[in-house]
Amino acid sequence: MPYRRLEDKGRRRRPRREEEYEVEVLLAHRARSTEEGMREYLVKWLNYTVDWNTWEPARNLHCSDCLEAYSNVIGNDDFKQPQASLTEDQVDQVVLLQNHTRVVKRQQKALKKWEAELNVACGYEGLICVENVADIAGPPDNFTYISECVAGEGVTIFKDPLLGCTCIHTNGLGCSAEADCCATHAGGTFAYKDRRLVLEAGQAVFECNARCSCASGRRQARSQCGNRVLQLGRQVPVTIFRTAGRGWGLKCNENLLKGTFVTEYVGEIVTAAEAEDRSPEYQFELDFTEEKCFQYVIDARNMGSVSHFINHSCDPNLVVHGVFVDNPDIAMPRIGFYAKKFIRAGTELTFDYFLSQDTCYSPTATPTTKRFQKLAGPLSPVHPCSPTASPSRRQHIPCRCGAKNCRGFIY
């Protein structure tokens, strides 16, 4: 192994192949001269005995976290001295501090990589940022980002609507509340004004579909239709961030006006029977109708969008609506989250996991009082959206939302 000898000590100096050597801890410093940058540090090399300790100038170390930890522990007064050494207790402090720094750096690198992957996966949707200043948790394991629901075994997601509107050909208004649009055909109410939701809780949203006259042309032309909002994807830039004690959460990066579409709850659509055999975490029952039994569940445990990270609150700022687009199956609506009120930039986005007030609808969009029961799984309320289909699986889950009107439990 090649090495050089120190002139003053006759001790082996670390080989030139720096990639093979890593600083374990800095033990002392000394000033070889009064010139700036001539301070040297006594280095204990990782996986080498103290016999291999060497004095090295800072320019040779390439270890900013070690230098920062050393200067923080030894203190300003001793650090300014021409020569000083760490005590054993101080060495232990340095090791702990620099190890923590290295863990944080690896974490931040992993989060930045995950952030880039999310923005590639979300395509044309709004920007996604990732932030963690609460702990050292990295990206979640076994999670795949998707922008729309996928069909599970035994499930078919139809994309062939029965009929569409002819607003663009029969009037000069286009698709609007004044026109004979899709909501009117379904016996409902036109959902949007200036692309913001104006419906009451419990009313279904009927957006224009593939058979509508406004569907012809490019996507840019379709985006100009006033009745195409959820289907165009999330436009709101958001941040997935680590909360204090409630796991990951989601916040908006810009001010949101009341009625603004925020995001869609997406995941794997499975049958109710299949959902019974899975963990209830992240399951959203599609039981908005007046029928006693629901048929399908959206399971976002291992695949989903930013909605996967929305936490519960007893005083939520998002409202949930069932949305119909191309799928005529009333048992399989899409789930849209809309701003319940004005929301300032940087505010955490939340909804009530136990949707108990006017949250189901009939085909005629008449609100009812049937409860939409949503339960949290074992990790809740850290993770969102965990209803169960079977009463035998129900349990009281304590709530930590912190709202003034907190019920004390999610269900």
Side-chain angles (χ1 to χ4, degrees), residues 105-360:
K105 285 185 177 181
R106 287 196 295 268
Q107 173 218 40
Q108 293 301 317
K109 183 178 180 180
L111 291 178
K112 282 295 181 184
K113 179 182 178 182
W114 184 45
E115 178 182 276
E117 293 171 348
L118 290 175
N119 282 290
V120 170
C122 76
Y124 59 81
E125 292 188 320
L127 179 71
I128 301 175
C129 300
V130 177
E131 173 187 296
N132 185 359
V133 295
D135 55 33
I136 58 172
D141 297 327
N142 302 319
F143 177 74
T144 302
Y145 190 96
I146 57 174
S147 295
E148 60 182 14
C149 286
V150 299
E153 185 177 356
V155 175
T156 301
I157 302 176
F158 295 100
K159 296 185 178 181
D160 187 18
L162 300 178
L163 52 87
C165 72
T166 58
C167 300
I168 197 170
H169 298 311
T170 57
N171 64 75
L173 301 175
C175 298
S176 64
E178 293 77 20
D180 186 24
C181 202
C182 296
T184 303
H185 296 166
T189 303
F190 195 83
Y192 303 111
K193 181 179 181 180
D194 298 328
R195 309 189 73 78
R196 295 196 294 274
L197 189 76
V198 293
L199 296 181
E200 298 295 329
Q203 292 183 292
V205 177
F206 296 93
E207 292 194 358
C208 288
N209 57 59
R211 288 190 180 274
C212 295
S213 56
C214 56
S216 59
R218 298 181 179 178
R219 183 180 184 277
Q220 182 178 2
R222 296 196 299 274
S223 67
Q224 295 174 355
C225 170
N227 196 33
R228 295 179 184 270
V229 177
L230 174 141
Q231 63 188 275
L232 297 179
R234 175 184 54 82
Q235 305 303 312
V236 174
V238 295
T239 294
I240 299 171
F241 74 107
R242 194 71 174 176
T243 66
R246 294 181 296 117
W248 293 102
L250 188 73
K251 60 184 177 182
C252 56
N253 296 352
E254 62 183 23
N255 293 340
L256 302 180
L257 297 177
K258 179 181 179 180
T260 300
F261 169 67
V262 177
T263 190
E264 178 183 0
Y265 195 84
V266 302
E268 180 186 10
I269 300 181
V270 299
T271 63
E274 171 67 20
E276 281 285 316
D277 295 330
R278 299 188 178 192
S279 169
E281 293 181 85
Y282 302 100
Q283 289 187 5
F284 200 120
E285 297 172 358
L286 300 182
D287 66 345
F288 282 76
T289 66
E290 293 178 317
E291 299 295 329
K292 292 183 178 181
C293 298
F294 59 91
Q295 300 179 44
Y296 304 107
V297 171
I298 298 178
D299 184 0
R301 178 179 176 83
N302 295 322
M303 60 178 70
S305 66
V306 295
S307 58
H308 173 97
F309 303 98
I310 301 178
N311 277 319
H312 161 83
S313 175
C314 296
D315 184 21
N317 51 22
L318 299 181
V319 63
V320 181
H321 281 262
V323 183
F324 290 94
V325 187
D326 290 330
N327 191 346
D329 188 352
I330 195 172
M332 198 182 294
R334 296 170 69 169
I335 305 301
F337 293 122
Y338 299 83
K340 186 177 181 180
K341 55 188 176 182
F342 174 77
I343 306 174
R344 293 192 180 278
T347 302
E348 182 177 3
L349 300 171
T350 59
F351 76 101
D352 191 344
Y353 292 1
F354 180 43
L355 306 177
S356 59
Q357 281 189 321
D358 298 335
T359 52
C360 66

Side-chain angles (χ1 to χ4, degrees), residues 56-101:
E56 300 287 341
R59 64 176 181 272
N60 287 358
L61 298 180
H62 306 292
C63 184
S64 59
D65 53 330
C66 299
L67 292 168
E68 182 180 355
Y70 179 83
S71 61
N72 287 340
V73 171
I74 200 170
N76 289 331
D77 293 338
D78 287 339
F79 190 68
K80 293 177 181 178
Q81 297 298 320
Q83 185 168 347
S85 301
L86 296 180
T87 65
E88 290 185 7
D89 289 341
Q90 287 178 321
V91 170
D92 292 339
Q93 293 178 43
V94 168
V95 171
L96 289 175
L97 185 58
Q98 65 189 27
N99 285 346
H100 176 75
T101 302

Side-chain angles (χ1 to χ4, degrees), residues 276 285 294 373 375 387-396 411:
E276 281 285 316
E285 297 172 358
F294 59 91
Q373 297 176 336
L375 298 188
T388 64
S390 172
S392 63
R393 300 168 72 189
R394 296 176 182 173
Q395 54 183 308
H396 277 295
Y411 171 79

